[in-house]
Amino acid sequence: MFTMVSYSLLLLQTPPKTSSSSSSSPSSPPSSFSSWWGGRVASFMMAYSGELAPVCRERRSWFMKWLCRLFKGPGANTGGGRATVLTDNNDNGNKGDHRRSGRDNTEDLDRAIALSLADAAKNPNGKKSESDEEFAKALQESLKIPAPPAAYDPPTAVPCLPRGYKFCGGCKREIGHGHYLSCMGSFWHPQCFRCHFCGRQIRETEFSLSGSNPYHKLCYKQLHHPKCDVCHEFIPTNRVGLIEYRAHPFWGQKYCPSHEHDRTPRCCSCERMESRSTRYISLGDGRCLCLECLDSAVMDTGDCQPLYHAIRDYYEGMNMKIDQQIPMLMVERQALNEAMEGEKDGHHHMPETRGLCLSEEQTVSSIFKRPRIGENRIVDMKTYPQKLTRRCEVTAILILYGLPRLLTGSILAHELMHGWLRLKGYRNLSPEVEEGICQVLSQMWLESEIVPVSRKNMPSTSTCASSSSSSSTSSASSTSTSKKGKTSEMERKLGEFFMHQIAHDTSPAYGGGFRAANAAVNKYGLRATLDHIRLTGHFPL
């Protein structure tokens, strides 16, 4: 750049070819612009011969400073950051400074021209020296002026977004001036922040969140908070803020923990708690019965006789016929407890006794007429005392009244097995062995009633009898099914619950004994298990 400027100045100061005397004296005014430039160049050449020799040694450093001032301007700001616009209203007072600055720039320009001419005189052939190339590179690096674009691109309109520019997370539009919400990692117009369930605006300061959807606290409670199946209210939280409730292991009925202590009625058959929308039937002895269990409940001795004989036929079909005619009576709860206290045998009984196989002579009050149901309770209960005399090892079988048919039948099957063991001479059995094998027979009968088709696949039935007795078993089962009619869906569900109770009993005698007996029967068959019990008093391993 420096050399190109010096060449242009030399062209301008070239004198005409006429003669050297054509140049005017310094005192006379120049005749033309070229003659004037010629005089200026001659004066600079004279200065170069005497006075500019020391100056040329410093020309590069001085010239770089001058070029920096020339390109950047006197008031250039080289700092980075935000651009600010400053307004100055004192222009009149600074006019003298502007004139002075212009005069200094003119003098600097003259001096630069002289230096250019001196450099050109050193290189008459127009060749660049190595020092010039190095100087040009240093100048380019110091200036760091980017190359201009190849083509002119008109500026495009870029929207000037203010600091904190926001879009609504609901309507996706710009949030202008006014109130807005900041939550869930987004900004919202107040009217756009709405409940995902009801669609209404959330105005409360607190709300519930499920995934990425906001809810009113009440709406979230309606959707996700469990309700009590008894009082139909939301299950309250405990002291640490957690939802705590109880649930039946079979029915799945959820209820508040407080209902276990507030005397909420519970069905004595299916163990479900009474709902506020329904009313259970009171049996008058502290027990309540739900309407589903009441539908097939056995209420008196006459009603139970067909079921009793069907179960005896079931035993006979498995080659376990009971020869003696054992009386069977339906009794109240109090009469059953009194009879249990009068037993000298001391057999193991459940906390809630529902059946008893008597071996002593007693007088028992039996129900001989079905009571009526009025105003959610049993009325007109008719009983009569009956004296039981002992004719064999078993005096009578007592069954608690008011239970569904399948539960009554499972109790009868259990107590009949007690009678069969005594009549067949099984003595001094432990409670785990005797109660366990009786529970197996009760479970087998329930299964035959609920799923009669699958009875042929039961290992306990198929391995306990011969082919002739298997045919009688199927005939007994078909007779029992024909007497009771078609099993309803609710009755089948009740039968499954009673089987669940037997399988998951936690008592050592009834629960542990059943699981041990059932494992032995499934492995060796019922007949082989009974023979082993007769010989050893224990289940086969």
Side-chain angles (χ1 to χ4, degrees), residues 203-494:
R203 302 178 183 272
E204 296 80 1
T205 57
E206 294 183 357
F207 62 95
S208 298
L209 188 65
S210 177
S212 59
N213 300 320
Y215 294 87
H216 290 108
K217 296 189 74 174
L218 185 58
C219 292
Y220 183 85
K221 200 172 185 180
Q222 291 281 353
L223 284 175
H224 302 285
H225 198 107
K227 279 189 175 183
C228 177
D229 294 332
V230 175
C231 61
H232 303 297
E233 300 291 338
F234 292 113
I235 297 177
T237 56
N238 55 18
R239 290 179 294 180
V240 296
L242 300 177
I243 300 174
E244 182 181 358
Y245 60 87
R246 303 289 185 267
H248 195 278
F250 181 82
W251 302 105
Q253 184 186 38
K254 294 180 289 188
Y255 54 89
C256 304
S258 59
H259 296 317
E260 292 184 340
H261 313 290
D262 60 2
R263 297 183 179 180
T264 299
R266 188 189 294 267
C267 179
C268 63
S269 170
C270 64
E271 296 183 352
R272 290 180 297 177
M273 281 192 169
E274 180 187 56
S275 173
R276 296 290 185 263
S277 58
T278 59
R279 285 292 178 267
Y280 285 2
I281 304 299
S282 175
L283 298 180
D285 53 5
R287 295 181 298 148
C288 292
L289 203 64
C290 69
L291 299 181
E292 289 82 2
C293 294
L294 179 67
D295 187 55
S296 62
V298 180
M299 290 296 186
D300 60 13
T301 304
D303 288 343
C304 194
Q305 290 300 321
L307 181 61
Y308 175 57
H309 291 293
I311 296 174
R312 287 176 65 100
D313 293 341
Y314 177 80
Y315 271 79
E316 185 177 355
M318 291 193 300
N319 201 21
M320 297 172 63
K321 183 178 180 180
I322 301 175
D323 299 325
Q324 285 77 11
Q325 293 297 322
I326 304 173
M328 187 278 303
L329 303 175
M330 301 292 293
V331 297
E332 295 180 279
R333 188 179 190 181
Q334 182 179 358
L336 186 62
N337 293 333
E338 291 175 355
M340 184 177 62
E341 293 176 359
E343 275 291 292
K344 297 178 181 180
D345 242 353
H347 290 288
H348 188 275
H349 297 284
M350 297 180 66
E352 174 64 30
T353 303
R354 296 173 174 176
L356 183 63
C357 182
L358 286 178
S359 58
E360 304 291 335
E361 293 186 353
Q362 294 189 33
T363 300
V364 180
S365 295
S366 174
I367 301 172
F368 71 94
K369 183 180 179 181
R370 183 182 181 89
R372 294 188 302 106
I373 301 173
E375 296 182 0
N376 299 324
R377 62 188 183 92
I378 296 294
V379 295
D380 295 340
M381 177 74 69
K382 300 294 184 181
T383 62
Y384 71 99
Q386 185 171 350
K387 185 175 178 58
L388 301 174
T389 59
R390 182 173 179 176
R391 296 186 176 89
C392 59
E393 293 294 328
V394 180
T395 305
I397 293 177
L398 306 182
I399 304 296
L400 185 64
Y401 92 102
L403 299 177
R405 190 189 72 86
L406 289 179
L407 180 56
T408 303
S410 66
I411 297 171
L412 269 172
H414 180 98
E415 300 301 332
L416 275 175
M417 188 60 188
H418 278 296
W420 186 89
L421 291 173
R422 295 179 191 178
L423 293 174
K424 298 300 180 181
Y426 289 78
R427 306 290 183 183
N428 302 322
L429 298 178
S430 64
E432 288 77 10
V433 174
E434 185 170 354
E435 300 297 341
I437 196 65
C438 291
Q439 286 290 77
V440 167
L441 267 295
S442 178
Q443 176 98 337
M444 289 169 59
W445 180 84
L446 279 173
E447 190 172 354
S448 69
E449 290 293 302
I450 297 171
V451 193
V453 179
S454 66
R455 288 186 68 257
K456 64 181 70 175
N457 300 325
M458 293 171 53
S460 57
T461 304
S462 60
T463 56
C464 72
S466 60
S467 58
S468 60
S469 62
S470 297
S471 60
S472 60
T473 303
S474 58
S475 62
S477 175
S478 61
T479 304
S480 173
T481 305
S482 62
K483 288 182 179 179
K484 68 181 176 61
K486 186 178 180 180
T487 304
S488 64
E489 182 64 25
M490 185 59 200
E491 191 174 15
R492 185 188 62 81
K493 194 70 176 177
L494 283 172

Side-chain angles (χ1 to χ4, degrees), residues 110-261:
D110 293 342
R111 191 173 183 180
I113 293 171
L115 292 175
S116 300
L117 293 175
D119 187 73
K122 286 184 178 182
N123 298 291
N125 297 328
K127 295 182 180 180
K128 296 181 182 180
S129 61
E130 295 180 359
S131 60
D132 291 337
E133 293 179 358
E134 294 175 358
F135 178 69
K137 291 180 181 179
L139 180 63
Q140 186 177 0
E141 291 177 359
S142 63
L143 292 177
K144 294 182 180 178
I145 301 175
Y152 174 73
D153 295 328
T156 57
V158 179
C160 183
L161 302 180
R163 189 178 183 181
Y165 196 68
K166 304 174 182 68
F167 285 95
C168 177
C171 65
K172 309 301 180 184
R173 297 180 180 177
E174 175 190 354
I175 297 179
H177 299 285
H179 297 287
Y180 66 93
L181 304 175
S182 176
C183 56
M184 299 165 53
S186 300
F187 302 99
W188 307 78
H189 291 115
Q191 65 273 14
C192 293
F193 194 61
R194 297 179 176 272
C195 175
H196 188 70
F197 176 67
C198 66
R200 295 194 299 269
Q201 180 181 347
I202 300 178
R203 302 178 183 272
E204 296 80 1
T205 57
E206 294 183 357
F207 62 95
S208 298
L209 188 65
S210 177
S212 59
N213 300 320
Y215 294 87
H216 290 108
K217 296 189 74 174
L218 185 58
C219 292
Y220 183 85
K221 200 172 185 180
Q222 291 281 353
L223 284 175
H224 302 285
H225 198 107
K227 279 189 175 183
C228 177
D229 294 332
V230 175
C231 61
H232 303 297
E233 300 291 338
F234 292 113
I235 297 177
T237 56
N238 55 18
R239 290 179 294 180
V240 296
L242 300 177
I243 300 174
E244 182 181 358
Y245 60 87
R246 303 289 185 267
H248 195 278
F250 181 82
W251 302 105
Q253 184 186 38
K254 294 180 289 188
Y255 54 89
C256 304
S258 59
H259 296 317
E260 292 184 340
H261 313 290

